[in-house]
Amino acid sequence: MQLAIPGFGTLRLEHLVLDYNGTLAVDGRPLPGVKTRLQRLARSVRIHVVTADTFGRARAGLRGLNCTLEILESGGEDRAKAAYVRRLGPRRVACIGNGRNDRLMVRMAGIGIAVLQAEGASAEVVAAADLLVPSVTDALDLFLQPRRLIASLRS
């Protein structure tokens, strides 16, 4: 997925890295519409879910999806998520998250999006993001309809 955003730059996005709890799911259960959108996006970018899996339901919640699931050890999740994005090549990555432990990966990514849903959004991830949206489905729709991203991020 290539995006030329005036004043922001040209990005060739190959990876979409997402948090699970609070972003794709609430209380460990995927939010409505998430799986369908991820299946569509998996045709154009590689989907990665990087999570501490607080509720222990990420593997079951993502079953059947074409994605890579990385379950992190407890402690230092913020640095582990940033290291994951660094390995992929930050300019080739878009990230979506809501928690304080997402702030480093969101800041580092070519495009970082914070979502404000039932679990809330850390002020630090909001400050690190390029864009704040009201839901993960809205965030995923930005990549399915990339002109929306261009409209929001251009200068």
Side-chain angles (χ1 to χ4, degrees), residues 20-32 34 55 57 98 116-120 136:
Y20 188 70
N21 287 300
T23 301
L24 293 176
V26 173
D27 298 331
R29 291 179 180 83
L31 290 161
V34 163
F55 295 93
R57 297 180 178 150
N98 77 305
L116 179 56
Q117 301 179 126
E119 197 174 284
V136 70

Side-chain angles (χ1 to χ4, degrees), residues 3 9 11 14 17 31 34 41 45 47 53-54 56 64 68 73-74 76 79 87 94 100 106 124 137 142 144 146:
L3 297 171
L11 300 171
E14 297 176 24
V17 178
L31 290 161
V34 163
L41 282 168
V45 294
I47 307 294
D53 200 17
T54 305
T68 300
E73 297 287 324
S74 183
R79 292 182 306 282
R87 284 191 301 274
R100 186 169 179 266
V106 165
E124 291 179 53
T137 53
L142 291 171
L144 293 169

